[in-house]
Amino acid sequence: MSDRYIEAHRRSMTDGDGFWLEAASKLEWDVPPTQGWVDGLGWFADGMINTCHNAVDRHVANGRGDDVAVIYDSPVTDQQRRFTFAQLRDEVALVAGMMAGLGIAKGDRVVIYMPMVPETLFAMLACARIGAIHSVVFGGFAAPELAKRIDDAAPRLLLTTSCGIEGQRVIPYKPLVDQALELATHRIDHVVLLQRPQLEAEMQAGRDLDWAELRAKAQPVGCVPVKATDPLYILYTSGTTGTPKGVVRENGGHAVALSWSMQHIYGMQPGETFWAASDVGWVVGHSYIVYGPLIAGCTTLLFEGKPVGTPDAGTFWRTIARHNVDVFFTAPTAIRAIRKEDPDGQFIKDIGIGKLRALFLAGERADPDTIHWAEDMLNVPVIDHWWQTELGWPALATCLGLDDNRRQAGSAGFPVPGYAFSVLDEEGKDVTPGHSGHVAIKLPLAPGAYATLWNNPQGYAKSFQTFPGYYETGDAGFIDVNGFVHIMGRTDDIINVAGHRLSTGQMEQIVASHPAIAECAVIGVDDDLKGMVPMAFAVAKAGYVADDKLAQALIGIVRAELGPVAALKQAYIVDALPKTRSGKILRATLRRIANGEQVETPPTIENPAVLIGIRELFAPEHAG
Ligand code: COA
Ligand code: AMP
């Protein structure tokens, strides 16, 4: 364990205000904060700041205007573009001017439904510039999900593009936006659409405006100071119900935490290149494609492609070598996808990895096998680290920038300075090392963690009620005798599918809404590539034909209602669901059977005969 890590963690616990005010002093404030954490007010409550200024203009003013801020590499459109900090400032100021011209001002919400193109990044920073609150919606969600977010955030403006590109496929965005706006009850004055050359979208006169035309007429605008506690963005994430949770991120704590994390977790210095191969629609994209690297004065890489198939399993290494990436971040599932196509790492041998010095993984548990493969192939540290949309930046990691290098495959590392972890039993008591329980974080949470849930303060409060004095992460895990924290899975119905966070409860609600379905269960089952995939079991109402056509229809409605990202590919129509005598569906039993485990008939089961049919679906030889 490095002395610097020990000292930083100790100080963050004993003098949290001093620790974080010092980190805050590395940024430029309109009014520097004098307070750290204040109960009821939050972090840096008396400070005023502009996030865009710190990510962009500050670097230009400090003589770095000609340094590259953004590299856009899009194998799917065969394009590479670079923007210096000065060019980025000019682009962002124009997009901000375009929005201001439409009457958008501080506190207004702007929904951004856009793919991995530079304009998405300009739009986010432009919102930050004028104090508007952005809410980026991931492209893999269907129109009803977009509509829910529009109704909750009540935006004045929606920004979109004519299409996204998924591998070889062009995905039209505009029909989805039109449908979402029809479904939503909230009315939006304007849609601004960026036409991409791959597909021309039809415009609705009066409502839809052309991005390029507006930008050409726009006047650049400057950065507006906002309170440290003013929201920067709302990012919706899956909760345990069908209603997504609108995580609210505040400007001040977010900027401080990201700036600190780039240097001390990832070990990045200004001028170096950071690549997070995620999507701007997820928290990883917000924090480490857009804000983190830019605030830290690094070059960020915006990659529009997939780990495989765009054009091949060498695309990550080619991109890393081509742009001299220093540190790389992706999800374990992406490495598994590459390994599946290139098990011997031939692409890595042929292409090399330039000067890459570390690979960070997050989004789902990194299985030791994947870590070992990546370490063998890349010959750099492969670091699993853990966080959540709610927290906004890693809470468990190996802090490379504090000279720490302790790693153990299967563990997500140690508490990052600012975070104190406990593993609690049902009564809220600490369990002994090596024993599993609820992973909880002592309060207050570090800067950058969510301040509330948009329109849902009760939902926010819930995460702090189960274990007084703690934030309940919703994850299960244990701390081993050496202090390594191991995250093993969720304690609720959230599953991680290819690094995407989804709610099986929400899928159940959708399946149950089908007129032919009496009841259903959706569970997450293990998957070699995606980590987990959802699987549905449904019972048909009397009078409906329980055939494969019905199963396919269920898959179809989940895709139509939630989106392709749900990745529900397997649905079974069964005679009945296994239940306890009190009527609870035995989801854990279903999951174990679907995972191919031999499962004893639980003593609490009310209808043991049902298990025979279900066992037959997965392991006919064990049925009976
Ligand atoms: N817009 C529209 N559709 C999207 C989309 C987007 N932004 N993202 C995913 N989809 C679609 C996919 O095309 C796919 O559709 P299909 O059912 O018609 O094939 C579906 O949603 C499921 O996508 P996904 O689960 O990503 O599977 P995949 O087979 O396309 O790709 C991986 C598998 C592993 C290559 C891919 O999931 C991946 O790169 N994962 C890394 C995830 C990541 O970065 N997570 C962020 C946390 S760090
Ligand atoms: P998201 O909010 O989409 O980032 O998802 C957060 C959830 O993903 C966490 O609560 C975990 O369940 C899971 N997760 C993220 N990173 C890891 C990791 N390194 N190891 C295990 N689980 C992880």
Side-chain angles (χ1 to χ4, degrees), residues 180-341:
L181 289 175
E182 260 170 44
L183 289 170
T185 49
H186 173 75
R187 291 284 145 245
I188 299 187
D189 306 337
H190 290 297
V191 171
V192 176
L193 183 137
L194 177 79
Q195 295 282 11
R196 300 189 75 189
Q198 292 76 18
L199 185 80
E200 176 111 358
E202 275 188 30
M203 305 290 266
Q204 187 174 308
R207 189 196 67 186
D208 301 346
L209 304 168
D210 183 78
W211 183 298
E213 278 175 26
L214 288 184
R215 183 191 165 282
K217 286 188 282 187
Q219 293 300 313
V221 300
C223 296
V224 175
V226 299
K227 282 198 256 165
T229 50
D230 279 337
L232 170 67
Y233 67 75
I234 307 167
L235 177 58
Y236 289 89
T237 187
S238 298
T240 51
T241 66
T243 314
K245 296 170 29 169
V247 162
V248 175
R249 190 89 55 218
E250 297 177 342
N251 277 277
H254 174 254
V256 173
L258 293 190
S259 152
W260 187 90
S261 70
M262 286 299 297
Q263 189 183 345
H264 297 96
I265 297 180
Y266 300 107
M268 293 295 292
Q269 295 301 322
E272 293 188 323
T273 301
F274 191 82
W275 178 21
S278 177
D279 189 286
V280 280
W282 304 113
V283 68
V284 175
H286 280 61
S287 296
Y288 294 112
I289 296 175
V290 184
Y291 291 109
L294 294 176
I295 288 173
C298 297
T299 306
T300 188
L301 205 150
L302 182 75
F303 176 79
E304 188 179 28
K306 296 258 176 185
V308 293
T310 59
D312 54 39
T315 196
F316 274 10
W317 322 125
R318 210 171 285 122
T319 306
I320 286 169
R322 181 188 290 149
H323 302 298
N324 288 318
V325 172
D326 293 281
V327 172
F328 179 44
F329 177 161
T330 191
T333 189
I335 300 295
R336 289 195 296 268
I338 292 170
R339 180 185 180 182
K340 200 168 156 208
E341 297 213 352

Side-chain angles (χ1 to χ4, degrees), residues 503-513 520-523 585 587:
S503 158
T504 54
Q506 180 181 9
M507 289 187 229
E508 282 186 8
Q509 283 175 24
I510 298 172
V511 172
S513 72
C520 67
V522 177
I523 54 164
I585 298 171
R587 288 186 178 76

Side-chain angles (χ1 to χ4, degrees), residues 237 283 361-366 384-390 412 473 475 487 490 496 501:
T237 187
V283 68
L361 300 174
E364 52 168 334
R365 182 167 184 271
D384 182 14
H385 64 328
W386 174 95
W387 46 305
Q388 309 179 304
T389 306
E390 290 84 344
T473 65
D475 280 11
I487 302 287
R490 295 285 305 188
N496 264 39
R501 173 167 160 179

Side-chain angles (χ1 to χ4, degrees), residues 386 388 438-440 471-476 489-494:
W386 174 95
Q388 309 179 304
H438 300 268
V439 176
Y471 163 70
E472 182 185 13
T473 65
D475 280 11
R490 295 285 305 188
T491 56
D492 53 21
D493 63 8
I494 286 171

